Amino acid sequence: MKRTHPAPLIVAGVLGLGAGFVLDQMLTAAGRASFTPMVSLPVLLAAVGVVVVVLAVPIYRATHGHSTAPINPFHAVRIAMLAKASSLVGAVFFGLALGLLLFVLTRPTEPSVGSLGALIATAVCAAVLIAGGLVAEYLCTIRKDDDDEHPDAGGGAHSDSGPHTGGPGTGRTAH
């Protein structure tokens, strides 16, 4: 599994931003009030971010020699995948909160403090979830062993099958 790159997080954030803006646009076009998240949403986002990091700490301790307790590799992979999913979900909610906030701030009327506060809290707690997911993903990575085979290093033989003699259409010939 590869570490999360910024590109998927940015794409998820942009999609969330568009969804939030369009959602509020559709709600107000239908004569309804704009969407305001409940207070429990930011609390839940921040709590999940903290829990993911707490779940990853024992894996870090075991893989870096700070603990002698054995770690189930399947458990470690599950926590790493949870961390990756958390950062992506955090990016979507961050974008969604920014989209809702953008819609509210571009209206000619003054937004209420309660809805503005809830949107800002959602954006901040979604950023906490992104950070928690990325930190937990880092904590779940293992060190490279010195005896691991590195294909880029060495004399060029990548497997035990002997030298590559090439074949039809490969452009390589045996010497």
Side-chain angles (χ1 to χ4, degrees):
M1 183 176 95
K2 294 185 180 186
R3 304 256 323 254
T4 302
H5 294 284
L9 297 177
I10 291 169
V11 168
V14 168
L15 289 174
L17 186 133
F21 191 85
V22 168
L23 173 70
D24 260 358
Q25 182 71 35
M26 289 173 48
L27 285 173
T28 55
R32 296 187 172 194
S34 63
F35 180 76
T36 302
M38 295 178 59
V39 176
S40 60
L41 179 62
V43 172
L44 182 65
L45 292 173
V48 169
V50 170
V51 167
V52 168
V53 172
V54 168
L55 289 173
V57 168
I59 296 167
Y60 177 81
R61 292 178 49 84
T63 57
H64 288 77
H66 301 295
S67 174
T68 58
I71 294 292
N72 182 348
F74 294 112
H75 178 71
V77 169
R78 287 182 193 118
I79 299 299
M81 293 304 295
L82 176 66
K84 186 180 268 298
S86 296
S87 61
L88 286 170
V89 168
V92 169
F93 274 102
F94 183 74
L96 183 75
L98 289 183
L100 295 170
L101 194 58
L102 180 67
F103 181 82
V104 168
L105 293 177
T106 58
R107 298 300 100 192
T109 60
E110 188 73 25
S112 70
V113 176
S115 64
L116 203 58
L119 292 173
I120 292 171
T122 301
V124 168
C125 291
V128 168
L129 180 59
I130 295 169
L134 293 175
V135 167
E137 190 175 342
Y138 168 77
L139 293 175
C140 289
T141 57
I142 59 172
R143 296 176 287 155
K144 287 272 189 197
D145 289 338
D146 292 336
D147 60 350
D148 281 349
E149 224 178 277
H150 299 288
D152 295 343
H158 299 316
S159 65
D160 295 331
S161 64
H164 180 61
T165 58
T170 62
R172 297 185 184 177
T173 59
H175 294 263

